[in-house]
């Protein structure tokens, strides 16, 4: 059995002080750092937008490729990440799900690495984490969501909680980092 940890969009712009902040996004970083050694492989997605994209009709400009806002937070142990998946890279695509990455195909990569359990965490609960989890289930992976390492935009508190209900109803297993750290 092979396990993978997928870190979704833990990037400066989604953290407090960023362009599209989750009010408590920085809280997930120490939780992730502590978990990283527990998996066979650690991978990450990042929002990687061009300067001009239809995506910015809906959202403030954020995570423009190669900008500071698109970087991982300085305290994330990024040396443990063996592959990065870039999404939202076109001028006409939102790229909410990590399975829509354009630099490398996530579904194909996980199959090639023979991953059977996919653990997902990161930002944001309401958009990219949820879309990624729903796609992982469609691909047939056993999918677990580490709730205390997921934060949301919390534009509306109901949307935040509903995101977890939706993932659970689709077949995801909602756990906490204590279930892994023991
Ligand atoms: C995200 C809104 C816009 C996310 C990305 O990572 O959840 N949300 N772009
Ligand atoms: Zn985006």
């Amino acid at each position: 059995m092979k396990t993978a940890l997928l870190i979704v969009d833990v990037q400066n712009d989604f953290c407090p002080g960023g362009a599209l902040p989750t009010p408590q996004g920085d809280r997930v970083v120490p939780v992730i750092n502590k978990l990283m050694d527990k998996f066979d492989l650690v991978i990450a997605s990042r929002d990687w937008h061009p300067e001009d994209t239809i995506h910015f009709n809906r959202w403030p400009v954020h995570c423009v490729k190669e900008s500071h806002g698109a970087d991982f937070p300085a305290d994330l142990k990024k040396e443990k990440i063996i592959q990065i998946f870039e999404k939202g890279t076109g001028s006409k695509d939102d790229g909410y799900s990590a399975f829509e990455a354009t630099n490398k195909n996530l579904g194909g990569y996980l199959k090639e690495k023979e991953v059977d359990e996919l653990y997902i965490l990161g930002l944001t609960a309401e958009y990219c984490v949820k879309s990624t989890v729903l796609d992982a289930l469609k691909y047939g992976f056993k999918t677990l969501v580490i709730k205390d390492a997921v934060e949301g935009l919390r534009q509306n508190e109901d949307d935040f909680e509903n995101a977890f209900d939706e993932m659970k109803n689709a077949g995801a297993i909602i756990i906490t980092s204590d279930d892994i750290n023991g």
Side-chain angles (χ1 to χ4, degrees), residues 9 11-15 18-21 46-71 87-88 93-96 124 127-128 153:
D9 298 11
Q11 294 171 271
N12 289 325
D13 271 343
F14 297 123
C15 291
L20 182 52
R46 58 185 179 190
D47 227 21
W48 203 245
H49 298 307
E51 277 171 39
D52 259 318
T53 161
I54 52 144
H55 189 62
F56 297 154
N57 297 343
R58 171 162 185 194
W59 302 104
V61 174
H62 63 277
C63 295
V64 171
K65 63 179 173 187
E66 282 149 20
S67 67
H68 172 75
D71 272 351
K87 61 191 188 54
D93 89 86
D94 287 298
Y96 292 120
T124 67
Y127 294 95
C128 291
L153 294 173

Side-chain angles (χ1 to χ4, degrees), residues 79-97:
E79 66 279 5
K80 307 265 178 188
I81 299 169
I82 62 164
Q83 179 68 52
I84 295 171
F85 296 85
E86 294 166 358
K87 61 191 188 54
T89 59
S91 58
K92 292 192 168 63
D93 89 86
D94 287 298
Y96 292 120
S97 165

Side-chain angles (χ1 to χ4, degrees), residues 1-8 32 35 38-44 99 106 110 115-122 129 132-133 136 141-147 149-150 172-177 179-181:
M1 195 197 61
K2 225 162 155 196
T3 61
L5 177 67
L6 171 58
I7 302 166
V8 175
I32 299 171
L35 282 175
K38 310 271 181 182
F39 300 89
D40 295 315
L41 47 144
V42 179
I43 55 180
F99 286 87
L106 175 57
L110 293 170
V115 168
D116 22 44
E117 281 190 357
L118 184 59
Y119 290 74
I120 299 179
L121 48 69
V129 171
T132 301
V133 166
F141 293 107
K142 180 174 176 189
T143 306
L144 301 94
V145 181
I146 307 172
K147 190 172 181 183
V150 174
I173 302 164
I174 313 292
I175 62 169
T176 71
S177 58
D179 296 324
I180 298 163
N181 286 321

